[in-house]
Amino acid sequence: MKIHPTAVISEEAEIAADVEIGPYVCIEGPVTIGAGCRLLPHAILTGHTTLGERNVVGSHTVLGGEPQDLSYRSGTESYVRVGSDNIIREYCTIHRGASPGSATVLGDGNFLMAGAHLGHNCQVGNHCIIANNVLFGGYMEVGDRAFVGGNSVFHQFVRIGRLSITQGMSAISKDVPPFTMSAQHSEVLGLNVVGLRRAGWSAALRGEVKRAFHLIYAEGLNVSQAVEKARAMSWGPEATYFFDFIAGAKRRGICSLRTPRDQSKRFGLEPAG
Protein backbone atom coordinates (compact mmCIF):
# COMPACT_ATOMS: atom_id res chain seq x y z
CA MET A 1 0.00 0.00 0.00
CA LYS A 2 1.33 3.42 -0.97
CA ILE A 3 0.19 6.00 1.60
CA HIS A 4 1.50 9.54 1.77
CA PRO A 5 2.64 10.42 5.31
CA THR A 6 0.25 13.39 5.50
CA ALA A 7 -2.86 11.24 4.94
CA VAL A 8 -5.21 10.79 7.91
CA ILE A 9 -6.84 7.35 8.03
CA SER A 10 -9.36 6.01 10.54
CA GLU A 11 -8.59 2.75 12.31
CA GLU A 12 -12.08 1.60 11.26
CA ALA A 13 -11.23 1.77 7.56
CA GLU A 14 -10.66 -1.39 5.51
CA ILE A 15 -8.26 -0.73 2.65
CA ALA A 16 -6.90 -3.20 0.07
CA ALA A 17 -3.16 -3.75 0.02
CA ASP A 18 -2.43 -1.96 -3.29
CA VAL A 19 -4.49 1.22 -2.80
CA GLU A 20 -2.66 4.51 -3.46
CA ILE A 21 -3.48 7.32 -1.03
CA GLY A 22 -2.15 10.78 -1.85
CA PRO A 23 -1.17 13.78 0.27
CA TYR A 24 -3.69 15.13 2.81
CA VAL A 25 -6.33 12.54 2.04
CA CYS A 26 -8.78 12.09 4.92
CA ILE A 27 -10.56 8.77 5.52
CA GLU A 28 -13.04 8.92 8.40
CA GLY A 29 -15.00 6.03 9.88
CA PRO A 30 -15.81 2.57 8.48
CA VAL A 31 -14.80 3.26 4.86
CA THR A 32 -14.02 0.25 2.65
CA ILE A 33 -11.72 0.66 -0.37
CA GLY A 34 -11.17 -2.12 -2.90
CA ALA A 35 -8.06 -3.16 -4.80
CA GLY A 36 -6.41 -0.87 -7.32
CA CYS A 37 -8.09 2.37 -6.17
CA ARG A 38 -6.27 5.72 -6.25
CA LEU A 39 -7.17 8.60 -3.94
CA LEU A 40 -5.67 11.87 -5.15
CA PRO A 41 -4.55 14.71 -2.86
CA HIS A 42 -7.11 16.18 -0.42
CA ALA A 43 -9.83 13.63 -1.21
CA ILE A 44 -12.24 12.99 1.71
CA LEU A 45 -14.07 9.69 2.28
CA THR A 46 -16.34 9.47 5.28
CA GLY A 47 -19.05 7.37 6.89
CA HIS A 48 -20.22 4.01 5.58
CA THR A 49 -18.70 4.48 2.13
CA THR A 50 -17.66 1.49 0.05
CA LEU A 51 -15.54 1.59 -3.10
CA GLY A 52 -15.10 -1.39 -5.41
CA GLU A 53 -11.94 -1.90 -7.43
CA ARG A 54 -9.84 0.40 -9.64
CA ASN A 55 -11.66 3.63 -8.87
CA VAL A 56 -9.92 6.99 -9.18
CA VAL A 57 -11.09 9.64 -6.70
CA GLY A 58 -10.01 13.17 -7.60
CA SER A 59 -8.59 15.93 -5.46
CA HIS A 60 -11.00 17.66 -3.04
CA THR A 61 -13.76 15.17 -3.82
CA VAL A 62 -16.01 14.29 -0.87
CA LEU A 63 -17.66 10.86 -0.77
CA GLY A 64 -20.13 9.95 1.96
CA GLY A 65 -20.90 13.39 3.34
CA GLU A 66 -24.16 14.05 5.18
CA PRO A 67 -27.17 14.57 2.90
CA GLN A 68 -28.59 18.02 2.30
CA ASP A 69 -32.02 17.01 3.56
CA LEU A 70 -33.81 18.70 6.46
CA SER A 71 -35.32 15.36 7.50
CA TYR A 72 -31.87 13.84 8.04
CA ARG A 73 -30.81 13.29 11.63
CA SER A 74 -27.12 13.34 12.51
CA GLY A 75 -25.84 9.90 13.37
CA THR A 76 -28.21 8.08 10.99
CA GLU A 77 -26.48 5.02 9.55
CA SER A 78 -26.76 5.29 5.77
CA TYR A 79 -24.43 4.53 2.90
CA VAL A 80 -22.59 5.42 -0.27
CA ARG A 81 -21.83 2.41 -2.48
CA VAL A 82 -19.50 2.87 -5.46
CA GLY A 83 -18.83 0.04 -7.90
CA SER A 84 -15.64 -0.51 -9.87
CA ASP A 85 -13.69 1.29 -12.62
CA ASN A 86 -15.19 4.71 -11.99
CA ILE A 87 -13.37 7.99 -12.58
CA ILE A 88 -14.56 10.64 -10.13
CA ARG A 89 -12.78 13.88 -10.88
CA GLU A 90 -11.90 16.77 -8.59
CA TYR A 91 -14.47 18.54 -6.39
CA CYS A 92 -17.22 15.95 -6.93
CA THR A 93 -19.60 15.27 -4.06
CA ILE A 94 -21.65 12.13 -3.41
CA HIS A 95 -23.88 12.30 -0.33
CA ARG A 96 -25.03 9.29 1.62
CA GLY A 97 -28.65 8.20 1.99
CA ALA A 98 -31.04 10.35 4.00
CA SER A 99 -32.93 7.62 5.87
CA PRO A 100 -31.63 4.75 8.03
CA GLY A 101 -30.23 1.91 5.97
CA SER A 102 -30.62 3.72 2.64
CA ALA A 103 -27.83 4.25 0.11
CA THR A 104 -26.63 6.41 -2.71
CA VAL A 105 -25.31 4.09 -5.41
CA LEU A 106 -22.90 4.62 -8.31
CA GLY A 107 -22.44 1.59 -10.57
CA ASP A 108 -19.43 0.57 -12.68
CA GLY A 109 -17.40 2.35 -15.33
CA ASN A 110 -18.85 5.82 -14.88
CA PHE A 111 -17.06 9.10 -15.55
CA LEU A 112 -17.97 12.00 -13.26
CA MET A 113 -16.29 15.18 -14.44
CA ALA A 114 -15.16 17.96 -12.11
CA GLY A 115 -17.73 19.42 -9.75
CA ALA A 116 -20.52 16.88 -10.35
CA HIS A 117 -22.92 16.36 -7.43
CA LEU A 118 -24.95 13.23 -6.65
CA GLY A 119 -27.57 14.02 -4.02
CA HIS A 120 -28.71 11.58 -1.37
CA ASN A 121 -30.30 8.31 -2.48
CA CYS A 122 -29.40 8.73 -6.16
CA GLN A 123 -29.09 5.48 -8.10
CA VAL A 124 -26.72 5.77 -11.08
CA GLY A 125 -26.20 2.81 -13.41
CA ASN A 126 -23.15 1.80 -15.44
CA HIS A 127 -20.98 3.56 -18.05
CA CYS A 128 -22.64 6.95 -17.65
CA ILE A 129 -20.87 10.22 -18.43
CA ILE A 130 -21.81 13.07 -16.11
CA ALA A 131 -20.11 16.26 -17.22
CA ASN A 132 -18.77 19.21 -15.24
CA ASN A 133 -20.94 20.81 -12.55
CA VAL A 134 -23.99 18.62 -13.15
CA LEU A 135 -26.32 18.70 -10.12
CA PHE A 136 -28.51 15.69 -9.32
CA GLY A 137 -31.23 16.18 -6.72
CA GLY A 138 -32.06 13.44 -4.25
CA TYR A 139 -33.67 10.13 -5.16
CA MET A 140 -32.81 10.35 -8.85
CA GLU A 141 -32.42 7.27 -11.06
CA VAL A 142 -30.01 7.25 -14.01
CA GLY A 143 -29.98 4.41 -16.56
CA ASP A 144 -26.92 2.81 -18.11
CA ARG A 145 -24.87 4.77 -20.68
CA ALA A 146 -26.70 8.04 -20.14
CA PHE A 147 -24.77 11.19 -21.07
CA VAL A 148 -25.48 14.39 -19.15
CA GLY A 149 -24.09 17.69 -20.44
CA GLY A 150 -22.26 20.18 -18.25
CA ASN A 151 -23.97 22.61 -15.86
CA SER A 152 -27.30 20.77 -16.13
CA VAL A 153 -29.55 20.62 -13.07
CA PHE A 154 -32.13 17.97 -12.21
CA HIS A 155 -35.06 18.03 -9.81
CA GLN A 156 -35.27 15.39 -7.10
CA PHE A 157 -37.01 12.13 -8.06
CA VAL A 158 -36.33 12.65 -11.78
CA ARG A 159 -35.44 9.52 -13.78
CA ILE A 160 -33.03 9.53 -16.72
CA GLY A 161 -33.50 6.65 -19.15
CA ARG A 162 -30.85 4.42 -20.61
CA LEU A 163 -28.79 5.68 -23.58
CA SER A 164 -30.26 9.16 -23.39
CA ILE A 165 -28.32 12.40 -23.78
CA THR A 166 -29.06 15.73 -22.09
CA GLN A 167 -27.78 18.99 -23.55
CA GLY A 168 -25.55 21.14 -21.35
CA MET A 169 -27.11 23.99 -19.38
CA SER A 170 -30.46 22.20 -19.17
CA ALA A 171 -32.91 22.40 -16.26
CA ILE A 172 -34.86 19.14 -16.06
CA SER A 173 -37.81 18.56 -13.74
CA LYS A 174 -39.47 15.68 -15.63
CA ASP A 175 -38.34 12.17 -16.54
CA VAL A 176 -36.06 11.85 -19.59
CA PRO A 177 -37.27 8.85 -21.65
CA PRO A 178 -34.71 6.25 -22.74
CA PHE A 179 -32.89 6.71 -26.06
CA THR A 180 -33.87 10.39 -26.37
CA MET A 181 -32.17 13.79 -26.50
CA SER A 182 -33.35 16.26 -23.87
CA ALA A 183 -32.57 19.94 -23.53
CA GLN A 184 -33.40 23.28 -21.95
CA HIS A 185 -36.51 23.19 -19.73
CA SER A 186 -37.68 19.56 -19.64
CA GLU A 187 -37.93 19.23 -23.42
CA VAL A 188 -37.22 16.29 -25.72
CA LEU A 189 -35.72 17.04 -29.14
CA GLY A 190 -35.93 13.56 -30.65
CA LEU A 191 -34.08 10.25 -30.48
CA ASN A 192 -30.40 9.96 -29.62
CA VAL A 193 -29.66 8.45 -33.03
CA VAL A 194 -25.89 8.97 -32.88
CA GLY A 195 -25.73 7.33 -29.44
CA LEU A 196 -27.80 4.36 -30.61
CA ARG A 197 -25.53 3.86 -33.62
CA ARG A 198 -22.44 4.02 -31.42
CA ALA A 199 -24.05 1.42 -29.18
CA GLY A 200 -24.19 -0.91 -32.19
CA TRP A 201 -27.94 -0.79 -32.77
CA SER A 202 -29.09 -2.03 -36.17
CA ALA A 203 -31.21 0.08 -38.50
CA ALA A 204 -34.16 -2.23 -37.79
CA LEU A 205 -33.84 -1.77 -34.04
CA ARG A 206 -33.51 2.00 -34.37
CA GLY A 207 -36.57 1.98 -36.62
CA GLU A 208 -38.66 0.14 -34.02
CA VAL A 209 -37.71 2.62 -31.29
CA LYS A 210 -38.49 5.44 -33.71
CA ARG A 211 -42.00 4.02 -34.14
CA ALA A 212 -42.36 3.78 -30.37
CA PHE A 213 -41.25 7.40 -30.00
CA HIS A 214 -43.75 8.46 -32.68
CA LEU A 215 -46.57 6.68 -30.85
CA ILE A 216 -45.86 8.57 -27.63
CA TYR A 217 -45.14 12.00 -29.07
CA ALA A 218 -46.74 12.35 -32.50
CA GLU A 219 -50.11 10.59 -32.63
CA GLY A 220 -52.07 13.15 -30.64
CA LEU A 221 -52.69 10.80 -27.71
CA ASN A 222 -52.05 11.52 -24.07
CA VAL A 223 -49.45 9.37 -22.36
CA SER A 224 -51.92 6.92 -20.83
CA GLN A 225 -53.70 6.43 -24.16
CA ALA A 226 -50.41 5.94 -26.01
CA VAL A 227 -49.14 3.37 -23.50
CA GLU A 228 -52.46 1.52 -23.63
CA LYS A 229 -52.29 1.41 -27.41
CA ALA A 230 -48.70 0.16 -27.25
CA ARG A 231 -49.67 -2.66 -24.89
CA ALA A 232 -51.95 -4.07 -27.58
CA MET A 233 -49.06 -4.23 -30.06
CA SER A 234 -45.98 -6.44 -30.38
CA TRP A 235 -42.61 -4.87 -29.51
CA GLY A 236 -39.04 -6.01 -28.95
CA PRO A 237 -37.29 -5.67 -25.56
CA GLU A 238 -35.88 -2.17 -26.15
CA ALA A 239 -39.20 -0.65 -27.20
CA THR A 240 -40.92 -2.50 -24.35
CA TYR A 241 -38.44 -0.93 -21.92
CA PHE A 242 -39.20 2.46 -23.49
CA PHE A 243 -42.94 2.06 -22.85
CA ASP A 244 -42.42 0.58 -19.38
CA PHE A 245 -40.27 3.55 -18.43
CA ILE A 246 -42.91 6.01 -19.63
CA ALA A 247 -45.70 4.12 -17.88
CA GLY A 248 -43.68 4.44 -14.66
CA ALA A 249 -43.35 8.23 -14.91
CA LYS A 250 -46.14 8.83 -12.41
CA ARG A 251 -44.35 11.19 -10.03
CA ARG A 252 -42.75 13.70 -12.43
CA GLY A 253 -44.23 12.96 -15.86
CA ILE A 254 -42.08 12.90 -19.01
CA CYS A 255 -40.34 15.67 -20.91
CA SER A 256 -42.48 17.22 -23.62
CA LEU A 257 -41.52 17.32 -27.30
CA ARG A 258 -40.14 20.61 -28.54
CA THR A 259 -41.87 21.64 -31.76
CA PRO A 260 -40.79 24.24 -34.36
CA ARG A 261 -43.46 26.53 -32.87
CA ASP A 262 -41.86 26.16 -29.44
CA GLN A 263 -38.50 27.11 -30.93
CA SER A 264 -39.96 30.17 -32.63
CA LYS A 265 -41.60 31.35 -29.41
CA ARG A 266 -38.37 30.84 -27.46
CA PHE A 267 -36.43 33.21 -29.72
CA GLY A 268 -39.20 35.75 -30.23
CA LEU A 269 -39.95 34.65 -33.81
CA GLU A 270 -43.62 33.82 -33.28
CA PRO A 271 -45.69 36.01 -35.63
CA ALA A 272 -47.98 38.53 -33.93
CA GLY A 273 -51.75 38.07 -33.86
Side-chain angles (χ1 to χ4, degrees):
M1 190 184 303
K2 183 178 179 182
I3 303 177
H4 193 275
T6 59
V8 178
I9 302 174
S10 167
E11 293 182 356
E12 297 179 85
E14 296 182 11
I15 303 171
D18 62 346
V19 172
E20 296 183 23
I21 300 176
Y24 302 103
V25 167
C26 182
I27 301 175
E28 303 175 325
V31 173
T32 301
I33 304 174
C37 289
R38 295 173 55 220
L39 311 184
L40 300 185
H42 295 277
I44 298 174
L45 281 70
T46 185
H48 293 272
T49 295
T50 300
L51 272 64
E53 300 180 348
R54 298 176 301 278
N55 296 290
V56 178
V57 180
S59 297
H60 301 279
T61 283
V62 181
L63 304 183
E66 292 190 352
Q68 297 174 144
D69 185 325
L70 294 177
S71 70
Y72 176 78
R73 295 292 176 263
S74 182
T76 296
E77 185 172 312
S78 56
Y79 307 91
V80 165
R81 297 191 178 109
V82 176
S84 298
D85 300 303
N86 296 287
I87 298 174
I88 305 172
R89 291 295 299 267
E90 55 271 21
Y91 293 99
C92 289
T93 50
I94 302 179
H95 289 171
R96 61 181 180 259
S99 57
S102 68
T104 303
V105 177
L106 180 69
D108 300 327
N110 298 290
F111 184 13
L112 276 61
M113 298 185 190
H117 169 69
L118 271 58
H120 60 86
N121 301 96
C122 283
Q123 310 289 309
V124 178
N126 305 312
H127 305 290
C128 298
I129 298 176
I130 301 170
N132 300 75
N133 302 315
V134 167
L135 305 180
F136 283 169
Y139 297 99
M140 281 189 55
E141 299 177 19
V142 184
D144 294 347
R145 302 183 71 172
F147 182 100
V148 182
N151 294 299
S152 295
V153 296
F154 292 79
H155 196 283
Q156 62 183 353
F157 294 105
V158 160
R159 301 181 305 150
I160 300 175
R162 179 162 54 93
L163 271 169
S164 62
I165 182 169
T166 299
Q167 185 184 78
M169 299 292 289
S170 295
I172 306 295
S173 60
K174 295 183 180 297
D175 290 356
V176 177
F179 321 131
T180 64
M181 299 183 296
S182 62
Q184 299 299 317
H185 299 286
S186 302
E187 296 173 320
V188 159
L189 309 182
L191 287 175
N192 180 20
V193 176
V194 173
L196 299 182
R197 285 176 177 156
R198 288 176 177 171
W201 283 33
S202 67
L205 183 52
R206 296 196 305 271
E208 181 180 52
V209 170
K210 183 177 180 179
R211 291 192 297 274
F213 181 91
H214 187 276
L215 177 54
I216 292 294
Y217 283 108
E219 291 201 5
L221 304 173
N222 64 37
V223 172
S224 296
Q225 291 169 337
V227 170
E228 184 178 359
K229 182 175 179 179
R231 297 300 191 207
M233 304 167 67
S234 179
W235 301 94
E238 286 78 12
T240 299
Y241 164 67
F242 178 81
F243 289 120
D244 287 345
F245 181 98
I246 288 171
K250 300 185 184 300
R251 183 185 289 267
R252 303 300 311 170
I254 61 171
C255 292
S256 58
L257 180 65
R258 182 194 292 182
T259 66
R261 180 181 177 88
D262 294 331
Q263 187 79 342
S264 296
K265 289 170 67 177
R266 180 177 302 280
F267 292 102
L269 303 176
E270 183 75 3

